[in-house]
Amino acid sequence: MRRYLSKFIHYPIGFNPSNSFPLNCEMGSYCAARSTNRQASFSGNMHEYATRAFATTSCASLSEDQPKDNSVSDMLVDSFGRLHTYLRISLTERCNLRCQYCMPADGVELTPSPQLLTKTEILRCANLFVSSGVNKIRLTGGEPTIRKDIEDICLELSTLKGLKTLSMTTNGIALARKLPKLKECGLNSVNISLDTLVPAKFEFMTRRKGHEKVMDSINAAIDLGFNPVKVNCVVMRGFNDDEICDFVELTREKPIDIRFIEFMPFDGNVWNVKKLVPYSEMLDTVMKQFTSLKRVQDHPTDTAKNFTIDGHAGRISFITSMTEHFCAGCNRLRLLADGNFKVCLFGPSEISLRDPLRRGAEDDELREIIAAAVKRKKASHAGMFDIAKTANRPMIHIGG
């Protein structure tokens, strides 16, 4: 049983299950820099130690995500037994912002429109995945709200039998005016990206104005009953790491889930480990000001480590792709706007579904192509330094 469970339980860097105490860290320079004063205060506070120890583990069982009937196709199961029930669909490579961590300053070459999936092709692919067992779809981009047929796409996706969640990740610039109709069309979950609460810093990071529009979209989502409204915040040293507790304050009165995301390397975003603020450091920062912080039990497929704070209507989460990956529980697949299928965000491997679609492939052939790609998925992504050296597309091509 121990050997069986070890396939699914990922212990974070530096965590030794035999004594539940961090022994080492692959980020040696980071640990050396923070070891003296933080370890001293850490050892003197048992409540803080208990919270941190719980923060490195998940008590949920992967069996919760296993199919209860035969509706899930083998197409969605990889060679490590991971069941993929979550599909992210990028609707466009275009965006109305130019975020520095998403694309280079001079922009990126976009795929010509004829080579992007049409609405009909998107819906056919989506139906193929949902009929095989996918129960959650997230629409991404680029910026999905700038696609003119976004409402029609949502309406038709929401009618797919077996789909439980239709979500969207958006920068919020155009969301406030479009969200009422999108909700009517079946959108039932939303993530809004916001990396700073300071308008001038927003303009610097995104190379555009629009901070007030994003805030309006967050409030509009709350008013329309989305609960929680997830706010994605990429934390970068020297830019917004001083705003972490300000973001936490947003959860006090409103049903907002602030999701702090470690800075990740992609082509063109000039990733540097010096800009990375590790999860452990972000957690330290929050715990010092919000002492009632408590870890909640996460689902085995969650990408986020989730926490509540006494008296707060919302909660906070940490997405730790770089320092404590969650590959063992990954249930995500990606369909890019150009029709390429990608089984790992950080893996360079892609295979086209558009080309066989356009030459008249039947569903069975498409399932075989998808299944073969899923079976080739690796146990985990490479370490962050290897990822930084590996050729991969810019985030705006892959889909947020």
Side-chain angles (χ1 to χ4, degrees):
M1 178 62 73
R2 182 184 300 273
R3 185 170 62 181
Y4 172 77
L5 289 175
S6 68
K7 289 202 308 179
F8 300 104
I9 300 176
H10 167 69
Y11 292 105
I13 294 169
F15 186 79
N16 187 331
S18 64
N19 59 12
S20 301
F21 195 83
L23 296 177
N24 55 63
C25 180
E26 291 179 3
M27 294 181 60
S29 59
Y30 163 67
C31 287
R34 69 188 293 269
S35 60
T36 306
N37 55 2
R38 284 191 179 144
Q39 285 180 359
S41 61
F42 178 68
S43 61
N45 188 330
M46 184 57 70
H47 171 71
E48 179 175 334
Y49 170 71
T51 302
R52 186 182 307 283
F54 187 33
T56 61
T57 61
S58 173
C59 298
S61 168
L62 276 175
S63 62
E64 296 174 13
D65 200 47
Q66 298 305 307
K68 300 299 188 292
D69 51 40
N70 296 322
S71 62
V72 178
S73 167
D74 182 63
M75 177 185 92
L76 301 176
V77 181
D78 69 14
S79 59
F80 300 94
R82 291 173 297 198
L83 172 64
H84 298 78
T85 57
Y86 180 178
L87 178 67
R88 301 174 72 99
I89 302 177
S90 176
L91 298 182
T92 178
E93 295 176 353
R94 298 185 179 278
C95 188
N96 43 14
L97 296 179
R98 294 291 182 271
C99 297
Q100 294 189 31
Y101 57 79
C102 188
M103 68 168 69
D106 55 355
V108 297
E109 184 176 349
L110 300 178
T111 303
S113 295
Q115 296 179 28
L116 300 179
L117 292 182
T118 65
K119 181 184 77 170
T120 300
E121 291 169 335
I122 290 171
L123 294 172
R124 183 178 173 197
C125 287
N127 183 61
L128 190 65
F129 279 96
V130 173
S131 65
S132 299
V134 162
N135 56 38
K136 179 176 181 178
I137 289 178
R138 177 176 298 280
L139 303 177
T140 69
E143 171 49 39
T145 61
I146 68 175
R147 183 151 173 157
K148 294 180 180 179
D149 54 0
I150 180 66
E151 290 91 354
D152 292 338
I153 290 174
C154 283
L155 182 60
E156 297 202 39
L157 287 175
S158 68
T159 65
L160 294 178
K161 184 179 180 181
L163 187 68
K164 298 178 181 178
T165 304
L166 179 59
S167 187
M168 178 186 292
T169 294
T170 168
N171 62 28
I173 295 295
L175 183 67
R177 60 185 173 84
K178 293 193 173 187
L179 193 54
K181 180 65 174 179
L182 288 170
K183 185 179 181 183
E184 289 179 11
C185 291
L187 188 73
N188 53 27
S189 176
V190 64
N191 289 40
I192 301 172
S193 297
L194 180 64
D195 301 316
T196 178
L197 299 174
V198 181
K201 288 166 69 174
F202 177 92
E203 186 173 345
F204 169 78
M205 174 54 64
T206 66
R207 305 184 181 104
R208 297 288 188 276
K209 296 181 183 293
H211 184 269
E212 185 177 353
K213 292 180 179 179
V214 180
M215 297 303 297
D216 288 345
S217 291
I218 292 172
N219 289 323
I222 293 170
D223 292 343
L224 285 168
F226 287 86
N227 187 355
V229 175
K230 296 181 178 180
V231 175
N232 293 345
C233 176
V234 178
V235 180
M236 290 160 283
R237 192 178 307 283
F239 173 69
N240 61 353
D241 53 325
D242 60 333
E243 297 185 62
I244 290 175
C245 289
D246 294 334
F247 270 99
V248 176
E249 280 293 343
L250 295 180
T251 71
R252 188 179 294 276
E253 304 294 338
K254 298 179 179 180
I256 294 174
D257 179 0
I258 299 292
R259 294 154 59 86
F260 295 112
I261 303 172
E262 291 180 334
F263 184 38
M264 298 176 282
F266 293 97
D267 279 11
N269 72 351
V270 197
W271 183 85
N272 189 313
V273 70
K274 293 179 180 179
K275 297 179 183 179
L276 171 69
V277 182
Y279 155 59
S280 56
E281 185 177 337
M282 290 189 273
L283 185 62
D284 278 346
T285 298
V286 176
M287 289 178 65
K288 288 175 182 176
Q289 184 165 329
F290 301 91
T291 57
S292 64
L293 185 72
K294 294 184 181 68
R295 180 74 188 270
V296 300
Q297 180 171 295
D298 306 319
H299 191 275
T301 62
D302 281 348
T303 59
K305 296 173 173 62
N306 301 296
F307 295 79
T308 60
I309 301 172
D310 288 350
H312 283 226
R315 67 180 187 178
I316 68 169
S317 307
F318 298 90
I319 299 179
T320 63
S321 304
M322 295 294 95
T323 62
E324 295 184 13
H325 72 70
F326 31 81
C327 301
C330 181
N331 70 336
R332 291 153 178 77
L333 302 170
R334 292 173 178 267
L335 180 63
L336 280 54
D338 63 0
N340 276 13
F341 178 57
K342 195 173 177 73
V343 297
C344 176
L345 172 61
F346 298 109
S349 178
E350 299 178 4
I351 188 167
S352 178
L353 297 184
R354 178 200 64 206
D355 293 347
L357 268 173
R358 293 186 178 180
R359 63 170 169 76
E362 299 292 335
D363 285 355
D364 285 346
E365 180 182 349
L366 292 172
R367 286 192 178 95
E368 289 178 4
I369 295 170
I370 294 166
V374 172
K375 294 296 185 292
R376 291 193 296 268
K377 185 171 182 175
K378 296 181 178 179
S380 66
H381 64 64
M384 60 182 167
F385 296 107
D386 289 329
I387 291 172
K389 294 183 291 185
T390 301
N392 198 0
R393 290 211 264 176
M395 191 61 172
I396 196 159
H397 279 174
I398 299 172

